[in-house]
Amino acid sequence: MKTEASPYSFLSTPATPTRGNVTVFVTDTLRQAIVQLDLKPGEIIDKGAICERLGVSRFPVSEALARLQAEGLVDILPQRGSTVSLVRIADVLEYMLIRKALEAEAVRVVTGNHSPELIDTLQRNMSYQRAAVEIDDQNGFHERDLEFHDIIFGDMRFTKVKGVIENTRANLDRARRLILTPRRLSVTLAEHQKILDGITAGDAAIASAAMRAHIDSVMAELIAFAVEHAELFADGQLLREDPAYSAFPFG
C-alpha cells in the first residue's frame, strides 16, 4: 500500500527535542516556513497534518500558532481554524521607514569609525553574494543579504538598535522574498556595493545615502508587486485603488 506524501514535507522533522523545547522547535520551524513562503499568505494551516509530520502532539502546535499570531504571521479564527496571515503593506512600509532611519544612521556611524576587520568582513560577504547571484541561489543570497546588514550593526555594538531591527524582521523578510528575482538579486548586489564603497572611502554621506537609496528601491519594487498581486496582501486592493495609500516618505 502506497503511503500518501505529507503536504508539509518541506518541514524539517526534529531530532529528539526535549519536552521543554518542543514548542520552541515547532514555532521556529513554522516561522521559517512562513518567512520562506513554503507556507504562503492566506494558506489554511492543517494542524493535524503538521502534528503528524513533526511527530508532536497538538498542544505545542497550538502554542506555536498562538506565538506566531502575536508576531503577525498567523491568523487564528474561532471555529474556523488558522491561516497564514496576508502581508499588510502598510505595516511593511512602517517597518521599512524604521529600518531606513536606523540603517542609514548605522552606516554613517561606522564609516570612519569601525573595527579593523569590518571592510574585509563585508568584502567577503559581498563575494558570497556574487556567487549566489551567479547561480540564482535566492535563499542563499537572501541569507547573505541579511548578514550584510547584520555585520554593519554588529560593528556598532549597539544591541538595543539591533533588537529593534530584529523585532521587525520576520514580516519584512517574508515581504522581501516575494520580490526575489534574478534581476532583484543583481540590483541589490549593486546597491550593497555602493554602500561598501562609501564605507571603504570613509565617506559617511555617500555610504548613508546609498543605504537610504537601497531601502527606497526595495520598497518601491514591493509596492509595485503588491499592486500587481493584491490577493497576497491584506490591504492590496486598497493600495491598487488608492495610490495615495502608499504615500510614505520614501524616495
Side-chain angles (χ1 to χ4, degrees), residues 8 45-52 57-58 61-62 65 81-82:
Y8 295 112
I45 298 172
D46 186 336
K47 290 170 65 173
I50 290 174
C51 292
E52 183 177 351
S57 68
R58 293 181 70 87
V61 174
S62 297
L65 292 177
S82 304

Side-chain angles (χ1 to χ4, degrees), residues 20-35:
N21 289 335
V22 173
T23 298
V24 173
F25 166 77
V26 175
T27 303
D28 290 345
T29 299
L30 293 180
R31 182 191 296 111
Q32 182 180 36
I34 292 171
V35 170

Side-chain angles (χ1 to χ4, degrees), residues 196-251:
L196 178 54
D197 289 345
I199 296 174
T200 302
D203 193 321
I206 287 179
S208 182
M211 179 64 81
R212 293 174 66 87
H214 168 48
I215 294 175
D216 284 344
S217 170
V218 172
M219 199 62 246
E221 189 159 340
L222 183 57
I223 289 173
F225 180 90
V227 170
E228 292 296 318
H229 303 275
E231 70 281 358
L232 297 177
F233 297 82
D235 48 357
Q237 194 57 39
L238 180 58
L239 178 65
R240 179 180 286 175
E241 295 171 355
D242 181 11
Y245 183 71
S246 64
F248 276 61
F250 285 88

Side-chain angles (χ1 to χ4, degrees), residues 37-79:
L37 303 178
D38 292 319
L39 288 171
K40 297 176 174 53
E43 185 173 336
I44 296 172
I45 298 172
D46 186 336
K47 290 170 65 173
I50 290 174
C51 292
E52 183 177 351
R53 170 62 181 171
L54 298 182
V56 299
S57 68
R58 293 181 70 87
F59 177 77
V61 174
S62 297
E63 284 291 300
L65 292 177
R67 294 183 184 187
L68 294 173
Q69 180 186 37
E71 295 179 19
L73 296 175
V74 168
D75 292 328
I76 300 176
L77 304 175
Q79 312 304 321

